[in-house]
Amino acid sequence: MNILVIGATGAQGGAVAGRLVGSGHAVRGLTRSGAGLPPGVTPVVGDLADASAVRAAFDGVTHASVVLPLVFEPSVVETYIRAIAEAAVAAGVRRLVYNTANRMPSAPTSVAAFETRRFATSVLVESGVETVVVRPPLYLDNLCAPWVAGPLVHEGVLRYPLPADVPVSWLSHADLATATIAALTTPTADLAPATAALAPPSAATVSPAAAGPGEGFAVDLGGADVVTGTELAAAFSAALGRPVRYVAQDLDEFEAGLTHALGATTAASVVSTYRWVAEHDHDLYDLDPAVLEKTLAISLTPLSTWIAAQPWTELAR
């Protein structure tokens, strides 16, 4: 396989690209600067807004893994995803795995962070390229951020912007990489019985040159353990050998902190997903791990194992 990873300079795409290289695959990564890729990934310089650069990146590619940047302006996302779809069609890509970077509510919402990814899904499926859409919940690696690890270590407080009773099948970036590679390589006949089929909406056309409606499969990802905030704190208590309590972080406070790192527009978009979960669907991030493991023939990392492996004291500095 010749594999292109779009998003390889980020944490999610980088985990996938690094694992693919480690498995012996030829991997290239699209990057605007030519830097920031995991070792062993061949850089292809270009921007998702430049259709010709995207097409060049896909030249000779047989499989692709895609995660979009933290951009939620509908017109910009449309430009990006149509360039990807058209380039994948032109290259004759055999399978594309698209990571929505979040779960998708079953019905449309007013949240751009959800709906731009729903639209992107429809464009890829309509393109005719066989597409596996992986829909992760929240990432365990988020808990390694200083604003989480600091209070955890110094105060015994696990602070995160979700109500304490929301169940989450927390997923690590490492398990995301494992699942993505499985989604890239699992035969269609094995995927079809265990995944949700995605019908291509006729409104989401790509271009007159597109191959026509193709097969799309959706896989909801998650970790080995589904826990509420209270249960997550208990898992940390057991792993660290000291009391840890969960506190639901105020969403306005969370947004203010993200604004410093991401800018006001992106921060508001990210936080809007947390607001929606808190107000509308406490079960969005729930999952039966056994179904996922069977579907992709993978083993997920137990929560306790992941917690024990992290250098919490260093992360809290």
Side-chain angles (χ1 to χ4, degrees):
M1 296 192 300
N2 292 318
I3 304 171
L4 172 66
V5 178
I6 292 179
T9 57
Q12 298 173 58
V16 172
R19 182 69 60 83
L20 285 167
V21 169
S23 299
H25 294 290
V27 183
R28 67 179 69 165
L30 183 66
T31 166
R32 285 182 293 183
S33 66
L37 296 170
V41 177
T42 300
V44 180
V45 179
D47 191 291
L48 286 174
D50 182 347
S52 62
V54 177
R55 186 168 291 217
F58 269 94
D59 185 35
V61 166
T62 61
H63 295 70
S65 170
V66 175
V67 60
L68 295 175
L70 287 175
V71 175
F72 306 106
E73 175 60 40
S75 62
V76 176
V77 173
E78 180 172 4
T79 296
Y80 289 174
I81 205 64
R82 291 197 186 281
I84 291 168
E86 291 172 2
V89 169
V93 168
R94 296 202 290 269
R95 180 175 293 176
L96 184 150
V97 175
Y98 170 53
N99 175 6
T100 61
N102 209 329
R103 288 282 176 77
M104 290 290 100
S106 57
T109 70
S110 60
V111 179
F114 291 138
E115 300 313 312
T116 54
R117 275 46 182 174
R118 195 190 307 274
F119 174 79
T121 295
S122 67
V123 169
L124 291 172
V125 174
E126 182 78 4
S127 73
V129 175
E130 184 177 76
T131 301
V132 180
V133 180
V134 293
R135 304 182 293 206
L138 299 176
Y139 289 112
L140 281 166
D141 305 75
N142 294 354
L143 304 177
C144 295
W147 57 269
V148 179
L152 173 66
V153 171
H154 300 304
E155 305 169 30
V157 173
L158 178 58
R159 185 175 290 115
Y160 203 79
L162 280 178
D165 62 343
V166 171
V168 178
S169 53
W170 293 88
L171 179 71
S172 69
H173 287 158
D175 280 354
L176 166 68
T178 299
T180 300
I181 293 172
L184 279 168
T185 58
T186 300
T188 301
D190 294 335
L191 276 176
T195 56
L198 294 172
S202 59
T205 55
V206 178
S207 75
E215 287 189 285
F217 305 99
V219 182
D220 284 334
L221 302 185
D225 300 278
V226 180
V227 292
T228 64
T230 302
E231 292 165 340
L232 180 62
F236 270 92
S237 295
L240 301 180
R242 57 180 183 271
V244 175
R245 61 187 177 91
Y246 184 83
V247 173
Q249 184 179 20
D250 178 79
L251 286 171
D252 290 335
E253 175 188 285
F254 178 50
E255 183 172 343
L258 277 187
T259 296
H260 291 295
L262 303 177
T265 300
T266 301
S269 294
V270 171
V271 175
S272 67
T273 65
Y274 288 89
R275 295 189 191 279
W276 191 92
V277 170
E279 296 171 3
H280 298 283
D281 188 356
H282 278 203
D283 294 326
L284 184 65
Y285 297 131
D286 201 349
L287 177 80
D288 182 350
V291 172
L292 174 61
E293 289 183 316
K294 182 178 180 181
T295 299
L296 296 180
I298 61 175
S299 295
L300 298 166
T301 306
L303 176 61
S304 59
T305 301
W306 183 88
I307 294 173
Q310 309 311 310
W312 294 107
T313 301
E314 295 178 19
L315 293 169
R317 291 175 181 169

